Amino acid sequence: MARNITPREKDYSQWYLDVIRAGELADYAPVRGCMVIRPNGYSLWEVIQRHFDEAFKDTGHVNAYFPLLIPSSFLEKEADHVEGFAPECAVVTHAGGEELEEPLVVRPTSETVIGHMYSKWVQSWRDLPILINQWCNVMRWEKRPRLFLRTSEFLWQEGHTAHAAKEEAVEETLRMLEVYREVMETRLALPVVTGEKSEAERFPGADNTYTCEAMMTDMKALQAGTSHFLGQNFAKAFDITFQNKDGEREYAWTTSWGVSTRLIGAIIMTHSDKDGLVIPPEVAPVKAVIMPISDDEKALSETFEPEAMELRDRLNALLGKRSVKVDTQYHMRPGDRFFYHLQRGVPLRIELGKKEYESQSVRLVRRDTGEKTDVSWDRAPETVRQLLESIQKNLYTRALEFRKANTHHVKSYEEFKNVLETRGGFITAHFAGTREDEKEIKSETTATIRCYPMNGQSRGTCFYTGKDDAPLAVFAKAY
Amino acid sequence: MARNITPREKDYSQWYLDVIRAGELADYAPVRGCMVIRPNGYSLWEVIQRHFDEAFKDTGHVNAYFPLLIPSSFLEKEADHVEGFAPECAVVTHAGGEELEEPLVVRPTSETVIGHMYSKWVQSWRDLPILINQWCNVMRWEKRPRLFLRTSEFLWQEGHTAHAAKEEAVEETLRMLEVYREVMETRLALPVVTGEKSEAERFPGADNTYTCEAMMTDMKALQAGTSHFLGQNFAKAFDITFQNKDGEREYAWTTSWGVSTRLIGAIIMTHSDKDGLVIPPEVAPVKAVIMPISDDEKALSETFEPEAMELRDRLNALLGKRSVKVDTQYHMRPGDRFFYHLQRGVPLRIELGKKEYESQSVRLVRRDTGEKTDVSWDRAPETVRQLLESIQKNLYTRALEFRKANTHHVKSYEEFKNVLETRGGFITAHFAGTREDEKEIKSETTATIRCYPMNGQSRGTCFYTGKDDAPLAVFAKAY
């Protein structure tokens, strides 16, 4: 156990912050609730971005950029939207040395200003669909900030699409939910339950909200991404209309969907351990680090290091530019050098010491299991590739099994409260209660409906109201 | 000449705006002075970003993210800095429903908040250098906005480095100037004059500012990127100190450097023509578009289009994913389809009509010259590659020759005014005047010193003061 990391079972929140600090992922900024994403955290975000961006482009989306500042009157055009977001807004009242005529809010999300622009761009059915995504910063003032999970400013992507037909917009909403699930599971190694949110948990202004819910190692749920079917609500508020094939004017149907730097929090709380950060190879900025180790400075510079550089180049040719680094922090003791990269979550350590050098081999040490493999220089690249695949698979499987082991089905409210108290985790239960029932359950237990799962065809008796033919819901305490 | 584009010689500003509108690059936003970067503009920015980002990483830099909002007191810590930027700031006074104790400015640039963080991160000489870059939005309130060139919000990168020794920081400043020049010339096909700014034109808070100056087709200069040696000014203001190898505390030496979405304006005003946008192939999001053309709908869908898709796949394998598109806007007339892509600046059009289909060939049409080449399907990929290279080279050479033809050397102030009035362009002249002399020249002629060129070893008699041994300066009217 690392001395600079609080044991998880002692204080989960402190463990989380210790992992971030030891991995140099982020810092609190001088402005309350805001964060600085340090290079180790940002490079992780860059890889996450790349995977999602590629998936968005593969499904026909293009990127654009809309303004940071939104006239406050825009927010007020959609009643639910302003109610949901106005209390969290940061407001610009002065600019260029003068007081503004109308205050401007720093975007908490961009449905309104994008709706305004779409109304100008869309005239005919031929202008639809519009499939635009934006990568940007947004601001939602936080009273209880937490690095990556809840900060006043965060980075995200927000997709905003407009369609001629309702079915197309619904299809898009579900397509992007599926894109999210796919990238989260295959790249971030985050198993997620996808499903529909209850009315109470919907995005302000949406007709339906779909979500990806992941289980953290403290068994709490984390909402990892959401996809919203906005119906014609924003089209009506911002007059996004088009002339259909019959020459009639119609309102468009819109969607929006987003994932954020919160995903870094999800990776930390899913994969990391008592020693600190663990990053799945598919999103690791540095997949492996090669360590020349010797007391003999001459041997280091003349034989070990050149050999390490040569291996690095061969590995990078296989795994991608800058995937593998050579550690040359020779002023540190080997153990400290190991620890340095271990706490930064590097999936694989490659040791090249005297013994290895003499046998023309390297020692590979897995971050996830600590398992060691000796392999010849010739076979090293292929073995490294295989081990990285194996680590990726192991992290996903471990997380999935953890979720399965900590998901329980209940049939009564007594059982619900008992399981939540004694075992925690996800609780599946048939539920046909009202919004008020849900509120009641939340206030008594702090658990909320995370979603009605997509594949939940199962119907049964409501655990709370006793009503028949209730759909299946997943409940949990959540971040 | 395109009917939707005002002739350049009639009204250059309107021509510029027409090119942007016809290419769907950007729109004004509902907030005064702000812009929306539309997908065609943003995808161009993405390619520009990729080239610079790669060059930054190749020179050892990493990306990070610092907060959008900066306490207003931070700006005041560096006297020149606050004087330069405070009048342009947008100010957040309220957040989360309450008035803030201290107003926060939306970052106009991030030296201050980054200086604050570096002072926490740097303890010992071993923590240096810090080589960090940030891609983000910044805000400088503009009274006379102009799309891409001067908007209240724009996107940019800002590099911020800290070093233990002055020489290292100077070296970094010049290294990044050279990185800028290289990317601008080889990728954006923008020939630039690199050099040092005069004292009057320095970044507020810098000891020296270096710049890349490009000549637009109206012969005005555009500052395309700057690199600043900040001395110890920000280190002193924010207490960035380190323990040196002798155990003594010293102030660090810092640099900053930036390029912005203004570069899109530079591309437009360097390469575009009477028909609209021209994009150099190296930064073109779409390098070529294939056009199946036929009146026969069955032939289109069953033979022409599949052949076009097949060629697209072969071209993309050679040029990169999504580099080549197939145009299927069959509801439009061929001429309108040509025009559509021409106004979006696509470097190469590939026509596949009946005649071409029968001879198993395609017709390649260059955007820069209109020149046509017929080539067999087999040889098409290699010919496309060669033509793209040739277009890239031609655009650069054309721009360089234009600059050379419009750069004049003068020896007296009379000659200076005469050349500026009758011929315009860049004026080189030996100059040893004071800051006041420079101001005088500007107020009389509107021309400013763009830079003292880097390779300007030439010394001579000052054209303005008659002093001996004056360095060479480049003067021009500028954006």
Side-chain angles (χ1 to χ4, degrees), chain B residues 6-70:
Chain B
T6 303
R8 205 151 53 174
E9 49 288 1
K10 192 175 157 199
D11 183 345
Y12 196 84
S13 296
Q14 192 55 49
W15 166 82
Y16 175 74
L17 291 175
D18 289 347
V19 171
I20 290 173
R21 194 181 24 71
E24 295 187 347
L25 297 176
D27 248 359
Y28 281 110
V31 169
R32 190 180 152 65
C34 294
M35 71 174 159
V36 173
I37 306 180
R38 301 186 69 173
N40 291 343
Y42 197 84
S43 58
L44 178 52
W45 179 238
E46 286 181 289
V47 186
I48 294 171
Q49 277 191 299
R50 205 186 309 142
H51 288 306
F52 280 103
D53 196 65
E54 196 60 27
F56 299 159
K57 284 175 177 157
D58 280 345
T59 43
H61 301 83
V62 289
N63 290 327
Y65 187 76
F66 295 86
L68 173 74
L69 299 183
I70 301 177

Side-chain angles (χ1 to χ4, degrees), chain A residues 27 37 39 46 54 57-58 63-65 67-69 87 89 91-94 96 121 126 137 153 321-322 331, chain B residues 27 37 39 46 54 57-58 63-65 67-68 87 89 91-96 121 126 137 153 321-322 331:
Chain A
D27 249 359
I37 307 180
E46 286 181 290
E54 195 60 27
K57 285 177 176 157
D58 279 345
N63 290 327
Y65 187 76
L68 172 75
L69 299 182
C89 282
V91 188
V92 172
T93 55
H94 293 70
W121 297 342
R126 286 205 191 274
N137 54 343
E153 182 189 12
K321 205 173 168 183
R322 290 185 287 267
H331 63 282
Chain B
D27 248 359
I37 306 180
E46 286 181 289
E54 196 60 27
K57 284 175 177 157
D58 280 345
N63 290 327
Y65 187 76
L68 173 74
C89 282
V91 188
V92 172
T93 55
H94 293 71
W121 296 343
R126 287 203 190 276
N137 54 343
E153 183 190 11
K321 207 173 167 183
R322 290 185 287 268
H331 63 283

